[in-house]
Amino acid sequence: MKALNRKLLRDLRLMWSQALTIALVVASGVAGFIASFSAYDSLSWSRDRYYADARFADVFATLKRAPLALERQLAALPGAAHVKTSLKQDVPISLPNVADPIIGRLIGLDAQTPQRLNKVALRRGKLPAPHQSGAIEVLVSEGFAIARQLHPGDRIHALINGKREELLIVGLALSPEYIFAGLAGSPDQRGFGVFWLDRQALAAAYNMEGAFNQVAVRLAPGATEGPIIDGLDRLLAPYGGVSAHGRDQQMSDVMLSSEIKQQKAMGTVLPSIFLAVAGFLLNVVLSRQIATQREQIAALKALGYHNRAIGQHYLTLVLLIVALGVGIGIALGAWLGHGFMGLYAEAFRFPTLAYRVKPVLLLAAVGVAVLAAVLATLFAIRDTVRLAPAEAMRPPAPGNFKPMLLERWGLQHWMSPAARMVVRTMERRPLRTGLTIFGIAAAMAIVITGAFWRDAIGELFDNQFHQVWRGDVSLSLIEVSPARVLHDLGRLPHVTAVEGTRTVAVKLVNAHHQWRGAIQGKPAQPELMRVVGRGFRVLTPPTSGLLITDRLANRLQVGPGDWVRVELQEGRREVMSLRVSGVLTEILGMNAYIERRTLNRLLREGDVVNQATLAVQRGHEVQLLNTLKDLPRVVGAVSKSVMKQNIEEVTARNILVFSVVLTAFATVIAIGVVYNSARIALAERAWELASLRVLGFTRAEVSTFLLGELAIEIVLATPLGMVLGYLLASGIVQLIKNEEFDFPMVILPATYAYAVIAVVIAGLVSALVVRRKVDTLDLVAVLKTRE
């Protein structure tokens, strides 16, 4: 074995603890990068494959009722490749021994006709047979079946057109329309299920024989959705058509695309920053580590080794450490990425949710880690190998010493000798001190970025379930009803308060900007379902004009005082202009509000409502929900407590798991940085510390000189780390912001405290190790080094 190879093994043995912590820093960066990016890539890849295989439609429309003869005109629209019509109805569902409110979506399925669009894939069981008598055979969406532990052969009940019907589950199924199956965007898989049943049976139940109320269109190659949407609106208007739209408003695709966008930001930007920070820290730590071997490098040159051989030796040392970190990081990242996909599989239902790690991803991770290590090695040995061996073997020339800043201010008398030595050392090496402080601050920043998601989730839940939704149960009526229905609801047992809302589908237009959605007509002073802006600012709906969210204002390019054209999609389909009276910032959705009486006056419908929110006596919610199941006028009810619990079980848990993983990686990086800074400082100042011991200073006093510097660096890094953490978290929130969702930017003091504590604990552990090293310094050996 060559001498340099033996030295390589000896160096690795002597610095095993530092090598291990450096490798863990690299592993944390690589694992975070691989796990997040591969999860985003796999989710996007699975979506595209499923959409293509299932022939997912491009344009969708809902209407009241149209004859099947209209299909020919729809198919003749320019740009339409295939058209599919169907029936859909939302109904209350009852499960044995379950009091929770459940809304079921019944969809007519013609098992005898080949599916051309939005193919329903059978996962278990068999297709439903044509209904004759008795229980109606149905397929149930897989996510709901798993959440409610339903199996083929189970029987449930549904209130279909006012009649309680028995449903026999004969199979489990998936559809590209319901990859994300939640009512109105809520990730509540226990409260919403999709049921496919014989189309003729559904048509007979609602007197829809020879008719349809749903349309899906797949575009021809090269066609755009705009003309198709306009054509559908025109043809379906006489039949109660409501706002044809593209995939950008199809709820499942909206939620899935939003998740992919968020994962792209969290899976690309954050881990990239994570990896870059790890690379920077690797550079700082390794360059200082190699610089401590200046005398060994000079000795090798004196013995005749060429610069290239010396460079290769140290490069090999560094690459071995990096290879260990990269190997651990790739294995851990792939394992975590696969785990993330398992979490996604609970929220998004695909026939196959395939996981992959693209080779380019591995190359990027390895490339960044190796590049950082190589640059650190080259820059660190460059200055040393330029020196003549005799000069390099001597200690570095003393700097141009002069009174430090505090001494020039005359404050030295207020400082102990130990404190003056610590401050003087830091001031005379500003670059090294600055890089160490920045490294600790960067580690603290990514700890904050990994942990702040818990604060944001808490803020989101508090806003939606305490500030906005203050009632207990919300329900939808099967049709628009006079407001006196609120008095009937208020007389139900255990109901303490009730308020109604009139929601109407509209198209808002400003020049060439438009938005299809709904205007919410609320009471003058809503208490049970309030309008709350950022900072928990409670607003009242305007009696004239519209109060809209900032994302909707951006979509329409309007502000307070501007006019928008309102095209009603219901009733007489009148067109009117309304002034934007105000703009507010909400967390969820694009919304438009107006006072209910004003909206009804504009609609010329009298005082009517189609939604209601109820407050219930504590402990009596279950009884009320059971009562609502038997009211034919109520198409569906939602319990706040049940919805909150169900959302926490899936979405909130997934985000928190992601946060915990990032926090763990960030903490490892923080420990690695602090520990290596302390160990390298000890190696750099061993001769100086040994000299102090010989001069009579105690072990504690000598340790204070070294650890005091580390303590000051941590103190100085703390505010900088907090600022960097806030900026980094704010940047991530802005990146994942979209039109439907604005993640609250909140970092609680506890999160800052956690990041500080993590760094301080890393400092204390490092101090204990360094103190032990100082206590066991071989004074003679250390002092001989400079002779």
Side-chain angles (χ1 to χ4, degrees):
M1 179 180 291
K2 294 181 179 180
L4 283 180
N5 291 336
R6 286 195 293 272
K7 179 181 182 302
L8 178 64
L9 295 177
R10 186 171 61 248
D11 287 345
L12 285 174
R13 180 173 57 83
L14 292 175
M15 58 178 293
W16 70 268
S17 60
Q18 291 172 264
L20 180 60
T21 52
I22 293 172
L24 290 178
V25 169
V26 176
S28 299
V30 171
F33 183 78
I34 295 288
S36 300
F37 208 134
S38 62
Y40 148 70
D41 174 65
S42 299
L43 191 60
S44 179
W45 181 46
S46 297
R47 178 197 60 180
D48 295 341
R49 288 202 315 171
Y50 186 32
Y51 279 2
D53 294 342
R55 299 182 61 78
F56 187 43
D58 299 294
V59 179
F60 307 84
T62 299
L63 60 148
K64 288 188 175 179
R65 177 193 177 100
L68 288 175
L70 189 65
E71 284 184 341
R72 288 187 178 180
Q73 297 183 55
L74 299 177
L77 287 172
H82 299 287
V83 174
K84 176 184 178 181
T85 62
S86 60
L87 292 174
K88 181 189 78 175
Q89 292 291 341
D90 289 344
V91 299
I93 296 290
S94 297
L95 301 183
N97 303 318
V98 175
D100 298 348
I102 300 171
I103 296 176
R105 176 156 296 171
L106 306 183
I107 298 177
L109 179 66
D110 188 352
Q112 308 302 319
T113 303
Q115 300 182 63
R116 304 182 67 181
L117 294 181
N118 302 334
K119 294 180 178 178
V120 177
L122 186 64
R123 302 282 284 176
R124 289 174 54 191
K126 67 180 188 69
L127 293 173
H131 180 61
Q132 300 296 330
S133 61
I136 301 174
E137 295 187 356
V138 297
L139 297 176
V140 60
S141 53
E142 188 179 63
F144 177 75
I146 293 175
R148 289 295 182 182
Q149 298 182 339
L150 296 174
H151 306 280
D154 291 344
R155 294 174 183 269
I156 61 177
H157 291 87
L159 193 63
I160 300 178
N161 203 14
K163 182 180 179 182
R164 185 178 171 85
E165 297 280 3
E166 187 178 47
L167 305 181
L168 171 62
I169 298 175
V170 296
L172 277 57
L174 293 175
S175 167
E177 289 184 278
Y178 298 98
I179 294 175
F180 176 91
L183 187 65
S186 168
D188 181 6
Q189 297 197 58
R190 295 169 60 85
F192 178 76
V194 183
F195 300 84
W196 291 271
L197 65 159
D198 176 51
R199 177 167 177 161
Q200 294 303 322
L202 182 59
Y206 286 92
N207 300 319
M208 293 283 286
E209 294 91 343
F212 63 90
N213 61 9
Q214 298 292 310
V215 179
V217 180
R218 188 173 176 86
L219 300 179
T224 58
E225 64 182 29
I228 294 292
I229 291 175
D230 293 339
L232 287 177
D233 284 342
R234 176 173 48 82
L235 291 175
L236 299 179
Y239 305 100
V242 179
S243 297
H245 56 80
R247 288 182 182 177
D248 61 335
Q249 294 186 46
Q250 203 274 335
M251 186 53 64
S252 173
D253 186 74
V254 167
M255 300 305 296
L256 179 57
S257 298
S258 175
E259 183 65 32
I260 289 175
K261 181 180 179 181
Q262 293 178 25
Q263 190 61 36
K264 183 179 181 180
M266 297 176 69
T268 57
V269 179
L270 182 58
S272 297
I273 295 174
F274 214 78
L275 192 57
V277 170
F280 166 77
L281 300 177
L282 180 66
N283 191 304
V284 171
V285 171
L286 287 179
S287 60
R288 289 182 62 185
Q289 178 66 36
I290 292 175
T292 61
Q293 300 202 4
R294 164 194 172 106
E295 295 168 6
Q296 296 182 32
I297 294 173
L300 290 172
K301 291 190 65 176
L303 292 173
Y305 286 94
H306 295 290
N307 291 344
R308 175 177 295 181
I310 296 172
Q312 288 177 346
H313 163 73
Y314 283 100
L315 197 58
T316 304
L317 172 70
V318 171
L319 290 180
L320 284 175
I321 298 173
V322 172
L324 175 63
V326 169
I328 296 174
I330 290 177
L332 184 59
W335 179 73
L336 287 172
H338 194 270
F340 287 163
M341 295 304 289
L343 296 177
Y344 280 127
E346 297 182 19
F348 301 101
R349 290 289 166 181
F350 291 90
T352 303
L353 190 53
Y355 177 69
R356 68 177 181 179
V357 180
K358 296 172 70 173
V360 66
L361 190 59
L362 299 176
L363 291 176
V366 173
V368 171
V370 170
L371 181 63
V374 170
L375 291 177
T377 305
L378 295 180
F379 287 131
I381 66 174
R382 181 189 58 186
D383 296 336
T384 301
V385 297
R386 284 177 176 174
L387 299 177
E391 182 182 354
M393 293 176 71
R394 291 196 297 268
N400 183 20
F401 293 107
K402 56 184 180 182
M404 61 180 183
L405 185 61
L406 295 178
E407 291 170 333
R408 293 198 294 274
W409 289 350
L411 301 177
Q412 68 273 19
H413 303 297
W414 298 88
M415 304 173 66
S416 66
R420 286 202 299 272
M421 293 177 67
V422 170
V423 175
R424 185 181 297 123
T425 301
M426 296 178 66
E427 184 178 333
R428 286 171 180 164
R429 295 180 178 179
L431 179 60
R432 193 197 68 177
T433 302
L435 289 177
T436 302
I437 291 173
F438 184 77
I440 297 172
M444 186 180 294
I446 54 179
V447 172
I448 293 172
T449 306
F452 94 99
W453 300 100
R454 286 167 288 190
D455 303 338
I457 287 290
E459 173 82 1
L460 173 63
F461 274 58
D462 183 45
N463 183 282
Q464 292 303 120
F465 292 109
H466 296 107
Q467 302 300 324
V468 175
W469 190 354
R470 304 182 72 190
D472 300 296
V473 174
S474 290
L475 57 87
S476 298
L477 302 175
I478 196 168
E479 60 184 9
V480 177
S481 304
R484 61 176 178 273
V485 73
L486 299 177
H487 298 290
D488 298 335
L489 293 172
R491 288 200 296 269
L492 291 175
H494 313 298
V495 174
T496 59
V498 58
E499 66 183 34
T501 301
R502 170 67 169 115
T503 300
V504 59
V506 297
K507 177 180 176 183
L508 302 184
V509 181
N510 175 44
H512 61 280
H513 306 287
Q514 59 180 269
W515 171 74
R516 296 170 185 269
I519 293 178
Q520 299 180 43
K522 288 183 168 292
Q525 295 289 338
E527 292 293 335
L528 302 183
M529 189 67 79
R530 303 191 302 182
V531 180
V532 180
R534 282 292 173 85
F536 301 135
R537 179 185 172 209
V538 180
L539 302 172
T540 56
T543 55
S544 63
L546 291 174
L547 175 65
I548 63 176
T549 55
D550 54 351
R551 290 185 292 275
L552 179 54
N554 290 333
R555 164 76 77 89
L556 298 175
Q557 293 294 298
V558 296
D562 293 336
W563 291 84
V564 295
R565 188 172 80 244
V566 181
E567 299 179 6
L568 300 176
Q569 304 295 302
E570 300 178 14
R572 302 179 183 87
R573 291 180 172 269
E574 296 182 39
V575 177
M576 62 190 72
S577 293
L578 290 176
R579 186 189 296 273
V580 177
S581 62
V583 175
L584 79 161
T585 301
E586 287 186 325
I587 294 177
L588 299 177
M590 290 193 287
N591 300 307
Y593 303 103
I594 191 172
E595 205 270 330
R596 191 181 79 211
R597 289 174 300 183
T598 303
L599 177 62
N600 284 331
R601 186 168 61 251
L602 294 172
L603 294 171
R604 291 184 288 176
E605 290 183 339
D607 192 10
V608 296
V609 298
N610 56 2
Q611 295 177 343
T613 304
L614 312 179
V616 187
Q617 291 176 340
R618 185 181 297 274
H620 294 281
E621 187 176 311
V622 173
Q623 292 95 317
L624 175 67
L625 293 172
N626 286 329
T627 302
L628 293 176
K629 289 178 181 178
D630 296 328
L631 297 181
R633 183 177 289 179
V634 177
V635 69
V638 179
S639 164
K640 180 176 72 174
S641 59
V642 174
M643 175 179 282
K644 181 181 178 184
Q645 178 184 355
N646 294 343
I647 292 175
E648 286 177 332
E649 288 180 358
V650 181
T651 302
R653 183 201 60 190
N654 290 355
I655 293 178
L656 292 181
V657 168
F658 190 82
S659 171
V660 168
V661 171
L662 287 182
T663 304
F665 286 158
T667 305
V668 169
I669 289 181
I671 293 174
V673 172
V674 175
Y675 176 73
N676 277 282
S677 297
R679 286 298 307 271
I680 293 172
L682 173 62
E684 292 173 339
R685 304 180 62 186
W687 187 87
E688 184 180 341
L689 298 175
S691 300
L692 292 174
R693 287 285 311 282
V694 171
L695 292 175
F697 285 83
T698 65
R699 291 189 177 94
E701 290 171 330
V702 170
S703 299
T704 302
F705 298 143
L706 187 63
L707 300 181
E709 181 178 337
L710 177 62
I712 292 176
E713 289 170 343
I714 291 177
V715 170
L716 294 177
T718 297
L720 178 61
M722 291 180 178
V723 173
L724 290 177
Y726 182 85
L727 294 177
L728 188 56
S730 299
I732 295 296
V733 167
Q734 290 300 315
L735 286 171
I736 64 175
K737 180 180 179 181
N738 57 43
E739 290 187 335
E740 297 296 332
F741 186 70
D742 187 4
F743 218 91
M745 177 55 212
V746 178
I747 301 179
L748 296 179
T751 299
Y752 288 118
Y754 169 77
V756 173
I757 290 173
V759 173
V760 169
I761 290 177
L764 291 175
V765 173
S766 304
L768 291 175
V769 174
V770 170
R771 171 62 190 270
R772 183 171 173 274
K773 293 289 183 181
V774 171
D775 291 347
T776 57
L777 272 180
D778 185 345
L779 302 183
V780 176
V782 172
L783 292 174
K784 275 185 174 181
T785 304
R786 296 294 180 96
E787 292 177 353

mmCIF file of all heavy atoms in Angstrom, residues 253-271:
data_model
loop_
_atom_site.group_PDB
_atom_site.id
_atom_site.type_symbol
_atom_site.label_atom_id
_atom_site.label_comp_id
_atom_site.label_asym_id
_atom_site.label_seq_id
_atom_site.Cartn_x
_atom_site.Cartn_y
_atom_site.Cartn_z
ATOM 1 N N ASP A 253 -59.421 17.587 -10.858
ATOM 2 C CA ASP A 253 -58.191 18.025 -11.527
ATOM 3 C C ASP A 253 -57.628 19.277 -10.865
ATOM 4 O O ASP A 253 -56.410 19.432 -10.763
ATOM 5 C CB ASP A 253 -58.476 18.307 -13.009
ATOM 6 C CG ASP A 253 -57.212 18.621 -13.772
ATOM 7 O OD1 ASP A 253 -56.429 17.691 -14.032
ATOM 8 O OD2 ASP A 253 -56.989 19.817 -14.087
ATOM 9 N N VAL A 254 -58.523 20.166 -10.411
ATOM 10 C CA VAL A 254 -58.045 21.371 -9.722
ATOM 11 C C VAL A 254 -57.248 20.998 -8.480
ATOM 12 O O VAL A 254 -56.147 21.509 -8.243
ATOM 13 C CB VAL A 254 -59.237 22.277 -9.346
ATOM 14 C CG1 VAL A 254 -58.797 23.356 -8.370
ATOM 15 C CG2 VAL A 254 -59.826 22.911 -10.588
ATOM 16 N N MET A 255 -57.803 20.087 -7.682
ATOM 17 C CA MET A 255 -57.124 19.714 -6.446
ATOM 18 C C MET A 255 -55.839 18.940 -6.722
ATOM 19 O O MET A 255 -54.821 19.139 -6.063
ATOM 20 C CB MET A 255 -58.063 18.874 -5.571
ATOM 21 C CG MET A 255 -59.342 19.595 -5.166
ATOM 22 S SD MET A 255 -59.034 21.173 -4.329
ATOM 23 C CE MET A 255 -58.209 20.626 -2.854
ATOM 24 N N LEU A 256 -55.901 18.040 -7.720
ATOM 25 C CA LEU A 256 -54.704 17.263 -8.050
ATOM 26 C C LEU A 256 -53.614 18.159 -8.623
ATOM 27 O O LEU A 256 -52.435 18.064 -8.227
ATOM 28 C CB LEU A 256 -55.072 16.161 -9.044
ATOM 29 C CG LEU A 256 -53.929 15.263 -9.528
ATOM 30 C CD1 LEU A 256 -53.231 14.595 -8.356
ATOM 31 C CD2 LEU A 256 -54.459 14.209 -10.503
ATOM 32 N N SER A 257 -53.999 19.046 -9.548
ATOM 33 C CA SER A 257 -53.002 19.949 -10.143
ATOM 34 C C SER A 257 -52.442 20.900 -9.093
ATOM 35 O O SER A 257 -51.250 21.230 -9.112
ATOM 36 C CB SER A 257 -53.645 20.738 -11.291
ATOM 37 O OG SER A 257 -54.084 19.868 -12.308
ATOM 38 N N SER A 258 -53.308 21.343 -8.171
ATOM 39 C CA SER A 258 -52.830 22.219 -7.102
ATOM 40 C C SER A 258 -51.816 21.502 -6.231
ATOM 41 O O SER A 258 -50.783 22.067 -5.849
ATOM 42 C CB SER A 258 -54.022 22.692 -6.259
ATOM 43 O OG SER A 258 -53.572 23.448 -5.156
ATOM 44 N N GLU A 259 -52.098 20.238 -5.921
ATOM 45 C CA GLU A 259 -51.157 19.465 -5.101
ATOM 46 C C GLU A 259 -49.834 19.271 -5.831
ATOM 47 O O GLU A 259 -48.752 19.361 -5.234
ATOM 48 C CB GLU A 259 -51.773 18.100 -4.763
ATOM 49 C CG GLU A 259 -50.920 17.236 -3.864
ATOM 50 C CD GLU A 259 -50.752 17.832 -2.478
ATOM 51 O OE1 GLU A 259 -51.692 18.508 -2.019
ATOM 52 O OE2 GLU A 259 -49.681 17.631 -1.862
ATOM 53 N N ILE A 260 -49.928 18.995 -7.146
ATOM 54 C CA ILE A 260 -48.703 18.806 -7.923
ATOM 55 C C ILE A 260 -47.904 20.106 -7.974
ATOM 56 O O ILE A 260 -46.671 20.096 -7.860
ATOM 57 C CB ILE A 260 -49.062 18.307 -9.338
ATOM 58 C CG1 ILE A 260 -49.563 16.865 -9.262
ATOM 59 C CG2 ILE A 260 -47.855 18.398 -10.265
ATOM 60 C CD1 ILE A 260 -50.044 16.317 -10.585
ATOM 61 N N LYS A 261 -48.619 21.226 -8.126
ATOM 62 C CA LYS A 261 -47.913 22.505 -8.143
ATOM 63 C C LYS A 261 -47.228 22.776 -6.813
ATOM 64 O O LYS A 261 -46.076 23.220 -6.763
ATOM 65 C CB LYS A 261 -48.897 23.636 -8.462
ATOM 66 C CG LYS A 261 -48.227 25.002 -8.517
ATOM 67 C CD LYS A 261 -49.218 26.107 -8.823
ATOM 68 C CE LYS A 261 -48.507 27.464 -8.846
ATOM 69 N NZ LYS A 261 -49.438 28.576 -9.107
ATOM 70 N N GLN A 262 -47.958 22.501 -5.729
ATOM 71 C CA GLN A 262 -47.351 22.698 -4.415
ATOM 72 C C GLN A 262 -46.161 21.768 -4.220
ATOM 73 O O GLN A 262 -45.122 22.163 -3.698
ATOM 74 C CB GLN A 262 -48.387 22.443 -3.327
ATOM 75 C CG GLN A 262 -49.514 23.458 -3.287
ATOM 76 C CD GLN A 262 -50.537 23.133 -2.218
ATOM 77 O OE1 GLN A 262 -50.232 22.476 -1.242
ATOM 78 N NE2 GLN A 262 -51.752 23.597 -2.417
ATOM 79 N N GLN A 263 -46.341 20.522 -4.655
ATOM 80 C CA GLN A 263 -45.242 19.565 -4.493
ATOM 81 C C GLN A 263 -44.061 19.946 -5.366
ATOM 82 O O GLN A 263 -42.908 19.720 -5.003
ATOM 83 C CB GLN A 263 -45.728 18.159 -4.852
ATOM 84 C CG GLN A 263 -44.745 17.057 -4.484
ATOM 85 C CD GLN A 263 -44.461 17.012 -2.996
ATOM 86 O OE1 GLN A 263 -45.335 17.251 -2.188
ATOM 87 N NE2 GLN A 263 -43.223 16.753 -2.625
ATOM 88 N N LYS A 264 -44.371 20.549 -6.520
ATOM 89 C CA LYS A 264 -43.270 21.000 -7.390
ATOM 90 C C LYS A 264 -42.450 22.078 -6.693
ATOM 91 O O LYS A 264 -41.220 22.079 -6.744
ATOM 92 C CB LYS A 264 -43.831 21.544 -8.705
ATOM 93 C CG LYS A 264 -42.736 21.968 -9.677
ATOM 94 C CD LYS A 264 -43.342 22.480 -10.976
ATOM 95 C CE LYS A 264 -42.235 22.884 -11.957
ATOM 96 N NZ LYS A 264 -42.816 23.391 -13.236
ATOM 97 N N ALA A 265 -43.175 23.010 -6.042
ATOM 98 C CA ALA A 265 -42.450 24.062 -5.312
ATOM 99 C C ALA A 265 -41.694 23.482 -4.131
ATOM 100 O O ALA A 265 -40.513 23.784 -3.920
ATOM 101 C CB ALA A 265 -43.436 25.129 -4.840
ATOM 102 N N MET A 266 -42.399 22.617 -3.381
ATOM 103 C CA MET A 266 -41.744 22.038 -2.210
ATOM 104 C C MET A 266 -40.728 20.972 -2.613
ATOM 105 O O MET A 266 -39.795 20.698 -1.878
ATOM 106 C CB MET A 266 -42.795 21.423 -1.278
ATOM 107 C CG MET A 266 -43.773 22.439 -0.729
ATOM 108 S SD MET A 266 -45.070 21.707 0.260
ATOM 109 C CE MET A 266 -44.145 21.172 1.686
ATOM 110 N N GLY A 267 -40.944 20.371 -3.775
ATOM 111 C CA GLY A 267 -40.059 19.295 -4.211
ATOM 112 C C GLY A 267 -38.928 19.753 -5.093
ATOM 113 O O GLY A 267 -38.041 18.957 -5.422
ATOM 114 N N THR A 268 -38.946 20.981 -5.515
ATOM 115 C CA THR A 268 -37.852 21.483 -6.336
ATOM 116 C C THR A 268 -37.133 22.639 -5.660
ATOM 117 O O THR A 268 -35.930 22.572 -5.407
ATOM 118 C CB THR A 268 -38.373 21.931 -7.702
ATOM 119 O OG1 THR A 268 -39.395 22.911 -7.513
ATOM 120 C CG2 THR A 268 -38.940 20.777 -8.487
ATOM 121 N N VAL A 269 -37.872 23.677 -5.349
ATOM 122 C CA VAL A 269 -37.228 24.875 -4.798
ATOM 123 C C VAL A 269 -36.654 24.611 -3.409
ATOM 124 O O VAL A 269 -35.468 24.839 -3.158
ATOM 125 C CB VAL A 269 -38.228 26.039 -4.753
ATOM 126 C CG1 VAL A 269 -37.565 27.269 -4.156
ATOM 127 C CG2 VAL A 269 -38.740 26.340 -6.143
ATOM 128 N N LEU A 270 -37.513 24.097 -2.510
ATOM 129 C CA LEU A 270 -37.043 23.897 -1.142
ATOM 130 C C LEU A 270 -35.895 22.895 -1.053
ATOM 131 O O LEU A 270 -34.853 23.213 -0.471
ATOM 132 C CB LEU A 270 -38.215 23.465 -0.249
ATOM 133 C CG LEU A 270 -37.869 23.259 1.223
ATOM 134 C CD1 LEU A 270 -37.286 24.520 1.819
ATOM 135 C CD2 LEU A 270 -39.098 22.827 2.011
ATOM 136 N N PRO A 271 -36.021 21.689 -1.611
ATOM 137 C CA PRO A 271 -34.877 20.773 -1.545
ATOM 138 C C PRO A 271 -33.652 21.297 -2.296
ATOM 139 O O PRO A 271 -32.525 20.993 -1.904
ATOM 140 C CB PRO A 271 -35.421 19.491 -2.192
ATOM 141 C CG PRO A 271 -36.882 19.578 -2.014
ATOM 142 C CD PRO A 271 -37.209 21.023 -2.149
#
